[in-house]
Amino acid sequence: MGLLDGKIALIFGVANKNSIGWGIARALYREGAIIALSYAMDRLEKRVRPLGESIGCELMLQADVGNAAELDAVFAAVEETYGRLDVLVHSVAFAERDALAGRFVDLRREALLSAIDISAASLIEMARRAEPLMTNGGSIMSLTYNAARTVVPNYNAMAIAKAALEAITMYLAADLGARKVRVNAISAGAIKTLSAGGIAGFRDLLRYAEVTAPMKELVSQDDVGDLALFLASDLSRRITGEVIYVDAGHSIMGYTDVEALIGGDGDG
Ligand code: NAD
């Protein structure tokens, strides 16, 4: 018996085998979920299709989450194929490269708005389409990062998009709770992925996260997948509107021994 036997899960944001969405897909599949995948554009299909086939996906659908008609088509296909939806995973983020580097005060307004649109507002678009399909309750989750709550240089547009995403999580949870549809966000520690590579100085950020986290290690796609599994399952049945961290403790630290950071012996 798996924790998700027979549950239908729709996951947006698998681009390749390093995607956090793929770590989540594997974890949900392992516990019995039927997985449907959606990817951003046609040229990703050659990477996504073999992944989906390896976990028996019937539905692998292209959709730009900024395009209402393409989103409609994905949810229509889920309804036609399965008649319902139990789990929705939003693992999507986009910002133009210049909006992920440099001084925050120089952030271009258009770049900020497009980051918010694709990375945050799209969750509302998905939730509205998922609601009528979640006839037996459901779990909706997205991926956030602590740059929403503390300053992380270069995150700029994405930090603001994540702050919006975390607020959207609460507001959706308030609306959908009566239907037993839960909405939560996973705040993951830094992981090397395609999107993360677009953030200026990301390599240093990874190193910093590893040195300063209480557990002195980075998190993996599988660590996030297991938290997603908990949120998708009945084990989290009364948890909604929350941001839950999987970051080896990184976000709790207000100060770190400077010697440890610069490679000293820590005695000073
Ligand atoms: P990723 O590049 O593998 O995934 C991001 C996905 O967003 C890709 O599949 C991409 O195709 C998709 N996407 C971008 N624009 C889109 C659009 N218009 N329509 C549809 N899809 C679109 O990188 P990832 O790190 O796995 O990112 C997944 C989520 O995790 C993102 O929300 C990201 O911000 C979040 N996150 C990542 C980290 C990290 O360090 N990697 C940490 C915390 C949170």
Side-chain angles (χ1 to χ4, degrees):
M1 274 263 298
L3 283 169
L4 300 179
D5 277 346
K7 300 266 193 208
I8 313 296
L10 170 60
I11 301 177
F12 285 86
V14 176
N16 57 41
K17 65 178 172 35
N18 297 320
S19 293
I20 292 175
W22 177 238
I24 294 174
R26 281 200 314 265
L28 304 193
Y29 172 74
R30 192 181 77 222
E31 290 291 331
I34 293 160
I35 310 289
L37 295 179
S38 179
Y39 52 92
M41 53 194 114
D42 289 334
R43 75 177 164 76
L44 293 177
E45 186 182 352
K46 65 176 184 305
R47 292 215 194 84
V48 176
R49 189 155 289 280
L51 296 175
E53 282 168 357
S54 74
I55 58 169
C57 285
E58 242 180 303
L59 291 183
M60 290 173 262
L61 305 156
Q62 181 275 327
D64 178 335
V65 302
N67 182 318
E70 291 180 9
L71 276 181
D72 284 343
V74 170
F75 284 88
V78 169
E79 181 168 25
E80 197 178 313
T81 309
Y82 301 113
R84 63 167 220 284
L85 181 64
D86 302 297
V87 179
L88 171 65
V89 178
H90 176 291
S91 187
V92 171
F94 171 79
E96 291 174 48
R97 199 168 263 268
D98 75 312
L100 297 172
R103 298 182 77 218
F104 181 79
V105 71
D106 294 330
L107 181 55
R108 281 187 304 115
R109 186 176 191 166
E110 302 72 32
L112 171 63
L113 294 179
S114 82
I116 293 173
D117 185 31
I118 298 301
S119 315
S122 58
L123 178 64
I124 310 172
E125 296 297 311
M126 288 181 199
R128 190 166 58 247
R129 289 166 173 82
E131 183 184 9
L133 300 183
M134 293 188 153
T135 46
N136 196 22
S139 175
I140 298 176
M141 67 190 86
S142 68
L143 273 298
T144 185
Y145 180 63
N146 200 37
R149 297 180 178 196
T150 61
V151 174
V152 180
N154 297 321
Y155 263 77
N156 302 358
M158 193 52 64
I160 306 310
K162 293 306 189 194
L165 186 73
E166 294 185 14
I168 288 168
T169 298
M170 287 193 300
Y171 277 80
L172 287 175
D175 262 3
L176 303 182
R179 296 183 63 125
K180 308 301 172 203
V181 174
R182 300 180 294 105
V183 188
N184 293 289
I186 294 174
S187 190
I191 301 178
K192 200 168 164 220
T193 62
L194 196 63
S195 304
I199 296 157
F202 188 74
R203 223 198 300 219
D204 288 345
L205 185 89
L206 276 178
R207 179 79 190 114
Y208 179 81
E210 188 172 9
V211 172
T212 58
M215 297 181 76
K216 305 288 176 221
E217 54 193 352
L218 294 172
V219 301
S220 69
Q221 284 82 346
D222 289 339
D223 298 328
V224 182
D226 283 348
L227 175 52
L229 167 63
F230 167 73
L231 286 175
S233 80
D234 207 40
L235 294 176
S236 59
R237 61 195 167 274
R238 301 279 181 269
I239 299 175
T240 194
E242 294 292 339
V243 174
I244 303 181
Y245 285 76
V246 51
D247 67 347
H250 179 62
S251 58
I252 66 166
M253 299 303 291
Y255 175 75
T256 299
D257 184 351
V258 178
E259 296 295 337
L261 272 183
I262 59 176
D265 59 11
D267 287 344

PDB file of all heavy atoms in Angstrom, residues 13-15 19-21 40 44 63-65 91-94 118 143-145 162 188-191 193-196 202, ligand 1:
ATOM      1  N   GLY A  13       6.406  22.064 -14.455  1.00  0.00           N
ATOM      2  CA  GLY A  13       7.758  22.577 -14.247  1.00  0.00           C
ATOM      3  C   GLY A  13       8.877  21.557 -14.274  1.00  0.00           C
ATOM      4  O   GLY A  13       9.935  21.802 -13.716  1.00  0.00           O
ATOM      5  N   VAL A  14       8.652  20.439 -14.970  1.00  0.00           N
ATOM      6  CA  VAL A  14       9.777  19.518 -15.173  1.00  0.00           C
ATOM      7  C   VAL A  14      10.431  19.895 -16.504  1.00  0.00           C
ATOM      8  O   VAL A  14       9.785  19.874 -17.550  1.00  0.00           O
ATOM      9  CB  VAL A  14       9.313  18.047 -15.207  1.00  0.00           C
ATOM     10  CG1 VAL A  14      10.501  17.133 -15.531  1.00  0.00           C
ATOM     11  CG2 VAL A  14       8.697  17.653 -13.872  1.00  0.00           C
ATOM     12  N   ALA A  15      11.714  20.283 -16.432  1.00  0.00           N
ATOM     13  CA  ALA A  15      12.455  20.618 -17.651  1.00  0.00           C
ATOM     14  C   ALA A  15      13.470  19.536 -17.973  1.00  0.00           C
ATOM     15  O   ALA A  15      13.758  19.248 -19.128  1.00  0.00           O
ATOM     16  CB  ALA A  15      13.155  21.955 -17.490  1.00  0.00           C
ATOM     17  N   SER A  19      15.436  18.904 -12.446  1.00  0.00           N
ATOM     18  CA  SER A  19      14.350  19.763 -11.966  1.00  0.00           C
ATOM     19  C   SER A  19      13.824  19.272 -10.625  1.00  0.00           C
ATOM     20  O   SER A  19      13.649  18.060 -10.420  1.00  0.00           O
ATOM     21  CB  SER A  19      13.185  19.756 -12.965  1.00  0.00           C
ATOM     22  OG  SER A  19      13.553  20.375 -14.162  1.00  0.00           O
ATOM     23  N   ILE A  20      13.517  20.217  -9.743  1.00  0.00           N
ATOM     24  CA  ILE A  20      12.897  19.855  -8.469  1.00  0.00           C
ATOM     25  C   ILE A  20      11.567  19.154  -8.731  1.00  0.00           C
ATOM     26  O   ILE A  20      11.208  18.177  -8.050  1.00  0.00           O
ATOM     27  CB  ILE A  20      12.711  21.126  -7.599  1.00  0.00           C
ATOM     28  CG1 ILE A  20      14.084  21.654  -7.156  1.00  0.00           C
ATOM     29  CG2 ILE A  20      11.841  20.820  -6.381  1.00  0.00           C
ATOM     30  CD1 ILE A  20      14.036  22.980  -6.393  1.00  0.00           C
ATOM     31  N   GLY A  21      10.859  19.609  -9.757  1.00  0.00           N
ATOM     32  CA  GLY A  21       9.585  18.968 -10.116  1.00  0.00           C
ATOM     33  C   GLY A  21       9.747  17.489 -10.417  1.00  0.00           C
ATOM     34  O   GLY A  21       8.853  16.678 -10.135  1.00  0.00           O
ATOM     35  N   ALA A  40       7.116  23.529 -20.305  1.00  0.00           N
ATOM     36  CA  ALA A  40       6.898  24.884 -20.812  1.00  0.00           C
ATOM     37  C   ALA A  40       6.801  24.981 -22.328  1.00  0.00           C
ATOM     38  O   ALA A  40       5.981  25.717 -22.849  1.00  0.00           O
ATOM     39  CB  ALA A  40       8.018  25.788 -20.305  1.00  0.00           C
ATOM     40  N   LEU A  44      11.396  21.165 -25.013  1.00  0.00           N
ATOM     41  CA  LEU A  44      11.721  20.376 -23.808  1.00  0.00           C
ATOM     42  C   LEU A  44      11.197  18.946 -23.902  1.00  0.00           C
ATOM     43  O   LEU A  44      11.575  18.078 -23.117  1.00  0.00           O
ATOM     44  CB  LEU A  44      11.127  21.043 -22.556  1.00  0.00           C
ATOM     45  CG  LEU A  44      11.723  22.394 -22.158  1.00  0.00           C
ATOM     46  CD1 LEU A  44      10.978  22.954 -20.940  1.00  0.00           C
ATOM     47  CD2 LEU A  44      13.207  22.254 -21.840  1.00  0.00           C
ATOM     48  N   ALA A  63       2.584  23.447 -21.963  1.00  0.00           N
ATOM     49  CA  ALA A  63       1.801  24.652 -21.663  1.00  0.00           C
ATOM     50  C   ALA A  63       2.719  25.743 -21.124  1.00  0.00           C
ATOM     51  O   ALA A  63       3.507  25.509 -20.206  1.00  0.00           O
ATOM     52  CB  ALA A  63       0.709  24.368 -20.630  1.00  0.00           C
ATOM     53  N   ASP A  64       2.604  26.907 -21.724  1.00  0.00           N
ATOM     54  CA  ASP A  64       3.218  28.111 -21.149  1.00  0.00           C
ATOM     55  C   ASP A  64       2.227  28.591 -20.084  1.00  0.00           C
ATOM     56  O   ASP A  64       1.064  28.876 -20.403  1.00  0.00           O
ATOM     57  CB  ASP A  64       3.380  29.151 -22.265  1.00  0.00           C
ATOM     58  CG  ASP A  64       3.958  30.464 -21.758  1.00  0.00           C
ATOM     59  OD1 ASP A  64       3.813  30.775 -20.555  1.00  0.00           O
ATOM     60  OD2 ASP A  64       4.533  31.199 -22.573  1.00  0.00           O
ATOM     61  N   VAL A  65       2.654  28.688 -18.844  1.00  0.00           N
ATOM     62  CA  VAL A  65       1.695  29.017 -17.778  1.00  0.00           C
ATOM     63  C   VAL A  65       1.200  30.462 -17.857  1.00  0.00           C
ATOM     64  O   VAL A  65       0.277  30.827 -17.141  1.00  0.00           O
ATOM     65  CB  VAL A  65       2.261  28.713 -16.361  1.00  0.00           C
ATOM     66  CG1 VAL A  65       2.648  27.252 -16.223  1.00  0.00           C
ATOM     67  CG2 VAL A  65       3.418  29.635 -16.017  1.00  0.00           C
ATOM     68  N   SER A  91       5.866  24.041  -9.927  1.00  0.00           N
ATOM     69  CA  SER A  91       7.321  24.086  -9.740  1.00  0.00           C
ATOM     70  C   SER A  91       7.930  24.908 -10.882  1.00  0.00           C
ATOM     71  O   SER A  91       8.823  24.454 -11.588  1.00  0.00           O
ATOM     72  CB  SER A  91       7.884  22.651  -9.706  1.00  0.00           C
ATOM     73  OG  SER A  91       9.247  22.670  -9.360  1.00  0.00           O
ATOM     74  N   VAL A  92       7.399  26.105 -11.028  1.00  0.00           N
ATOM     75  CA  VAL A  92       7.668  26.948 -12.200  1.00  0.00           C
ATOM     76  C   VAL A  92       8.217  28.294 -11.755  1.00  0.00           C
ATOM     77  O   VAL A  92       7.692  28.900 -10.819  1.00  0.00           O
ATOM     78  CB  VAL A  92       6.343  27.176 -12.973  1.00  0.00           C
ATOM     79  CG1 VAL A  92       6.537  28.221 -14.054  1.00  0.00           C
ATOM     80  CG2 VAL A  92       5.827  25.877 -13.557  1.00  0.00           C
ATOM     81  N   ALA A  93       9.249  28.740 -12.407  1.00  0.00           N
ATOM     82  CA  ALA A  93       9.753  30.093 -12.148  1.00  0.00           C
ATOM     83  C   ALA A  93      10.437  30.611 -13.394  1.00  0.00           C
ATOM     84  O   ALA A  93      11.067  29.853 -14.134  1.00  0.00           O
ATOM     85  CB  ALA A  93      10.732  30.084 -10.978  1.00  0.00           C
ATOM     86  N   PHE A  94      10.288  31.905 -13.609  1.00  0.00           N
ATOM     87  CA  PHE A  94      10.992  32.544 -14.729  1.00  0.00           C
ATOM     88  C   PHE A  94      11.273  33.999 -14.394  1.00  0.00           C
ATOM     89  O   PHE A  94      10.404  34.705 -13.881  1.00  0.00           O
ATOM     90  CB  PHE A  94      10.162  32.486 -16.019  1.00  0.00           C
ATOM     91  CG  PHE A  94      10.773  33.313 -17.109  1.00  0.00           C
ATOM     92  CD1 PHE A  94      11.859  32.833 -17.834  1.00  0.00           C
ATOM     93  CD2 PHE A  94      10.307  34.598 -17.368  1.00  0.00           C
ATOM     94  CE1 PHE A  94      12.458  33.621 -18.811  1.00  0.00           C
ATOM     95  CE2 PHE A  94      10.911  35.394 -18.344  1.00  0.00           C
ATOM     96  CZ  PHE A  94      11.978  34.900 -19.071  1.00  0.00           C
ATOM     97  N   ILE A 118       4.656  34.936 -14.272  1.00  0.00           N
ATOM     98  CA  ILE A 118       4.931  33.523 -14.571  1.00  0.00           C
ATOM     99  C   ILE A 118       5.184  32.717 -13.294  1.00  0.00           C
ATOM    100  O   ILE A 118       4.755  31.568 -13.181  1.00  0.00           O
ATOM    101  CB  ILE A 118       6.157  33.402 -15.518  1.00  0.00           C
ATOM    102  CG1 ILE A 118       5.870  34.105 -16.857  1.00  0.00           C
ATOM    103  CG2 ILE A 118       6.552  31.945 -15.727  1.00  0.00           C
ATOM    104  CD1 ILE A 118       4.666  33.579 -17.617  1.00  0.00           C
ATOM    105  N   LEU A 143       6.757  25.946  -5.015  1.00  0.00           N
ATOM    106  CA  LEU A 143       8.135  25.990  -4.521  1.00  0.00           C
ATOM    107  C   LEU A 143       8.556  27.435  -4.316  1.00  0.00           C
ATOM    108  O   LEU A 143       8.466  28.239  -5.241  1.00  0.00           O
ATOM    109  CB  LEU A 143       9.065  25.347  -5.559  1.00  0.00           C
ATOM    110  CG  LEU A 143       9.273  23.827  -5.494  1.00  0.00           C
ATOM    111  CD1 LEU A 143       9.903  23.421  -4.166  1.00  0.00           C
ATOM    112  CD2 LEU A 143       7.994  23.060  -5.705  1.00  0.00           C
ATOM    113  N   THR A 144       9.014  27.740  -3.107  1.00  0.00           N
ATOM    114  CA  THR A 144       9.482  29.091  -2.849  1.00  0.00           C
ATOM    115  C   THR A 144      10.917  29.054  -2.332  1.00  0.00           C
ATOM    116  O   THR A 144      11.518  27.972  -2.209  1.00  0.00           O
ATOM    117  CB  THR A 144       8.530  29.813  -1.870  1.00  0.00           C
ATOM    118  OG1 THR A 144       8.949  31.167  -1.717  1.00  0.00           O
ATOM    119  CG2 THR A 144       8.481  29.136  -0.510  1.00  0.00           C
ATOM    120  N   TYR A 145      11.455  30.227  -2.055  1.00  0.00           N
ATOM    121  CA  TYR A 145      12.832  30.326  -1.561  1.00  0.00           C
ATOM    122  C   TYR A 145      12.903  31.470  -0.563  1.00  0.00           C
ATOM    123  O   TYR A 145      12.177  32.450  -0.675  1.00  0.00           O
ATOM    124  CB  TYR A 145      13.805  30.554  -2.735  1.00  0.00           C
ATOM    125  CG  TYR A 145      15.236  30.654  -2.291  1.00  0.00           C
ATOM    126  CD1 TYR A 145      15.863  29.573  -1.681  1.00  0.00           C
ATOM    127  CD2 TYR A 145      15.953  31.833  -2.442  1.00  0.00           C
ATOM    128  CE1 TYR A 145      17.167  29.664  -1.237  1.00  0.00           C
ATOM    129  CE2 TYR A 145      17.254  31.931  -2.014  1.00  0.00           C
ATOM    130  CZ  TYR A 145      17.859  30.841  -1.405  1.00  0.00           C
ATOM    131  OH  TYR A 145      19.149  30.938  -0.955  1.00  0.00           O
ATOM    132  N   LYS A 162       8.596  35.476  -5.226  1.00  0.00           N
ATOM    133  CA  LYS A 162       8.388  34.460  -4.168  1.00  0.00           C
ATOM    134  C   LYS A 162       7.585  35.054  -3.002  1.00  0.00           C
ATOM    135  O   LYS A 162       6.779  34.340  -2.388  1.00  0.00           O
ATOM    136  CB  LYS A 162       9.730  33.920  -3.665  1.00  0.00           C
ATOM    137  CG  LYS A 162      10.511  33.098  -4.688  1.00  0.00           C
ATOM    138  CD  LYS A 162       9.704  31.970  -5.275  1.00  0.00           C
ATOM    139  CE  LYS A 162      10.558  31.029  -6.125  1.00  0.00           C
ATOM    140  NZ  LYS A 162       9.730  30.126  -6.956  1.00  0.00           N
ATOM    141  N   ALA A 188      12.525  25.597  -0.354  1.00  0.00           N
ATOM    142  CA  ALA A 188      13.659  24.679  -0.510  1.00  0.00           C
ATOM    143  C   ALA A 188      14.977  25.435  -0.402  1.00  0.00           C
ATOM    144  O   ALA A 188      15.083  26.580  -0.846  1.00  0.00           O
ATOM    145  CB  ALA A 188      13.566  23.995  -1.873  1.00  0.00           C
ATOM    146  N   GLY A 189      15.965  24.790   0.155  1.00  0.00           N
ATOM    147  CA  GLY A 189      17.325  25.320   0.136  1.00  0.00           C
ATOM    148  C   GLY A 189      17.846  25.331  -1.298  1.00  0.00           C
ATOM    149  O   GLY A 189      17.225  24.762  -2.204  1.00  0.00           O
ATOM    150  N   ALA A 190      18.981  25.978  -1.500  1.00  0.00           N
ATOM    151  CA  ALA A 190      19.527  26.120  -2.847  1.00  0.00           C
ATOM    152  C   ALA A 190      19.941  24.772  -3.439  1.00  0.00           C
ATOM    153  O   ALA A 190      20.602  23.967  -2.778  1.00  0.00           O
ATOM    154  CB  ALA A 190      20.727  27.060  -2.811  1.00  0.00           C
ATOM    155  N   ILE A 191      19.517  24.546  -4.677  1.00  0.00           N
ATOM    156  CA  ILE A 191      19.843  23.304  -5.403  1.00  0.00           C
ATOM    157  C   ILE A 191      20.269  23.689  -6.818  1.00  0.00           C
ATOM    158  O   ILE A 191      19.639  24.549  -7.441  1.00  0.00           O
ATOM    159  CB  ILE A 191      18.600  22.380  -5.510  1.00  0.00           C
ATOM    160  CG1 ILE A 191      18.076  22.013  -4.129  1.00  0.00           C
ATOM    161  CG2 ILE A 191      18.918  21.138  -6.319  1.00  0.00           C
ATOM    162  CD1 ILE A 191      16.811  21.148  -4.160  1.00  0.00           C
ATOM    163  N   THR A 193      20.106  23.701 -10.407  1.00  0.00           N
ATOM    164  CA  THR A 193      19.158  23.330 -11.465  1.00  0.00           C
ATOM    165  C   THR A 193      19.322  24.336 -12.601  1.00  0.00           C
ATOM    166  O   THR A 193      20.049  25.322 -12.460  1.00  0.00           O
ATOM    167  CB  THR A 193      17.694  23.395 -10.976  1.00  0.00           C
ATOM    168  OG1 THR A 193      17.411  24.736 -10.602  1.00  0.00           O
ATOM    169  CG2 THR A 193      17.421  22.458  -9.826  1.00  0.00           C
ATOM    170  N   LEU A 194      18.585  24.100 -13.672  1.00  0.00           N
ATOM    171  CA  LEU A 194      18.640  24.999 -14.827  1.00  0.00           C
ATOM    172  C   LEU A 194      18.300  26.438 -14.436  1.00  0.00           C
ATOM    173  O   LEU A 194      19.055  27.368 -14.724  1.00  0.00           O
ATOM    174  CB  LEU A 194      17.635  24.494 -15.873  1.00  0.00           C
ATOM    175  CG  LEU A 194      17.748  25.012 -17.286  1.00  0.00           C
ATOM    176  CD1 LEU A 194      19.075  24.605 -17.892  1.00  0.00           C
ATOM    177  CD2 LEU A 194      16.587  24.463 -18.120  1.00  0.00           C
ATOM    178  N   SER A 195      17.172  26.637 -13.755  1.00  0.00           N
ATOM    179  CA  SER A 195      16.751  28.000 -13.391  1.00  0.00           C
ATOM    180  C   SER A 195      17.740  28.640 -12.433  1.00  0.00           C
ATOM    181  O   SER A 195      18.055  29.826 -12.562  1.00  0.00           O
ATOM    182  CB  SER A 195      15.398  28.006 -12.674  1.00  0.00           C
ATOM    183  OG  SER A 195      14.455  27.399 -13.427  1.00  0.00           O
ATOM    184  N   ALA A 196      18.191  27.865 -11.455  1.00  0.00           N
ATOM    185  CA  ALA A 196      19.083  28.430 -10.444  1.00  0.00           C
ATOM    186  C   ALA A 196      20.363  28.956 -11.097  1.00  0.00           C
ATOM    187  O   ALA A 196      20.927  29.963 -10.660  1.00  0.00           O
ATOM    188  CB  ALA A 196      19.410  27.380  -9.391  1.00  0.00           C
ATOM    189  N   PHE A 202      25.357  32.152  -8.186  1.00  0.00           N
ATOM    190  CA  PHE A 202      24.660  31.020  -7.549  1.00  0.00           C
ATOM    191  C   PHE A 202      25.625  29.995  -6.954  1.00  0.00           C
ATOM    192  O   PHE A 202      25.352  29.388  -5.931  1.00  0.00           O
ATOM    193  CB  PHE A 202      23.709  30.342  -8.541  1.00  0.00           C
ATOM    194  CG  PHE A 202      22.842  29.308  -7.887  1.00  0.00           C
ATOM    195  CD1 PHE A 202      21.776  29.688  -7.083  1.00  0.00           C
ATOM    196  CD2 PHE A 202      23.109  27.950  -8.031  1.00  0.00           C
ATOM    197  CE1 PHE A 202      20.984  28.743  -6.446  1.00  0.00           C
ATOM    198  CE2 PHE A 202      22.313  26.996  -7.400  1.00  0.00           C
ATOM    199  CZ  PHE A 202      21.255  27.397  -6.615  1.00  0.00           C
TER     200      PHE A 202
HETATM  201  P1  NAD B   1      13.982  24.165 -13.284  1.00  0.00           P
HETATM  202  O1  NAD B   1      14.575  25.090 -14.299  1.00  0.00           O
HETATM  203  O2  NAD B   1      14.286  22.741 -13.432  1.00  0.00           O
HETATM  204  O3  NAD B   1      12.415  24.354 -13.192  1.00  0.00           O
HETATM  205  C1  NAD B   1      11.766  25.577 -13.474  1.00  0.00           C
HETATM  206  C2  NAD B   1      10.674  25.241 -14.447  1.00  0.00           C
HETATM  207  O4  NAD B   1       9.877  26.386 -14.769  1.00  0.00           O
HETATM  208  C3  NAD B   1      11.228  24.696 -15.773  1.00  0.00           C
HETATM  209  O5  NAD B   1      10.618  23.455 -16.037  1.00  0.00           O
HETATM  210  C4  NAD B   1      10.787  25.739 -16.773  1.00  0.00           C
HETATM  211  O6  NAD B   1      10.560  25.190 -18.066  1.00  0.00           O
HETATM  212  C5  NAD B   1       9.497  26.209 -16.100  1.00  0.00           C
HETATM  213  N1  NAD B   1       8.985  27.447 -16.685  1.00  0.00           N
HETATM  214  C6  NAD B   1       9.602  28.646 -16.806  1.00  0.00           C
HETATM  215  N2  NAD B   1       8.796  29.507 -17.454  1.00  0.00           N
HETATM  216  C7  NAD B   1       7.645  28.834 -17.735  1.00  0.00           C
HETATM  217  C8  NAD B   1       6.442  29.175 -18.403  1.00  0.00           C
HETATM  218  N3  NAD B   1       6.229  30.398 -18.919  1.00  0.00           N
HETATM  219  N4  NAD B   1       5.483  28.226 -18.523  1.00  0.00           N
HETATM  220  C9  NAD B   1       5.666  26.973 -18.014  1.00  0.00           C
HETATM  221  N5  NAD B   1       6.780  26.601 -17.373  1.00  0.00           N
HETATM  222  C10 NAD B   1       7.764  27.525 -17.246  1.00  0.00           C
HETATM  223  O7  NAD B   1      14.505  24.735 -11.872  1.00  0.00           O
HETATM  224  P2  NAD B   1      14.047  24.343 -10.388  1.00  0.00           P
HETATM  225  O8  NAD B   1      15.127  24.879  -9.521  1.00  0.00           O
HETATM  226  O9  NAD B   1      13.658  22.918 -10.342  1.00  0.00           O
HETATM  227  O10 NAD B   1      12.775  25.258 -10.161  1.00  0.00           O
HETATM  228  C11 NAD B   1      11.522  24.748  -9.732  1.00  0.00           C
HETATM  229  C12 NAD B   1      10.921  25.651  -8.669  1.00  0.00           C
HETATM  230  O11 NAD B   1      11.696  25.545  -7.484  1.00  0.00           O
HETATM  231  C13 NAD B   1      10.913  27.127  -9.035  1.00  0.00           C
HETATM  232  O12 NAD B   1       9.722  27.719  -8.536  1.00  0.00           O
HETATM  233  C14 NAD B   1      12.108  27.650  -8.272  1.00  0.00           C
HETATM  234  O13 NAD B   1      12.053  29.041  -8.019  1.00  0.00           O
HETATM  235  C15 NAD B   1      11.965  26.839  -7.009  1.00  0.00           C
HETATM  236  N6  NAD B   1      13.130  26.812  -6.126  1.00  0.00           N
HETATM  237  C16 NAD B   1      14.347  26.465  -6.614  1.00  0.00           C
HETATM  238  C17 NAD B   1      15.431  26.460  -5.760  1.00  0.00           C
HETATM  239  C18 NAD B   1      16.808  26.110  -6.273  1.00  0.00           C
HETATM  240  O14 NAD B   1      17.801  26.458  -5.621  1.00  0.00           O
HETATM  241  N7  NAD B   1      16.931  25.424  -7.398  1.00  0.00           N
HETATM  242  C19 NAD B   1      15.286  26.779  -4.393  1.00  0.00           C
HETATM  243  C20 NAD B   1      14.001  27.097  -3.920  1.00  0.00           C
HETATM  244  C21 NAD B   1      12.933  27.121  -4.805  1.00  0.00           C
END
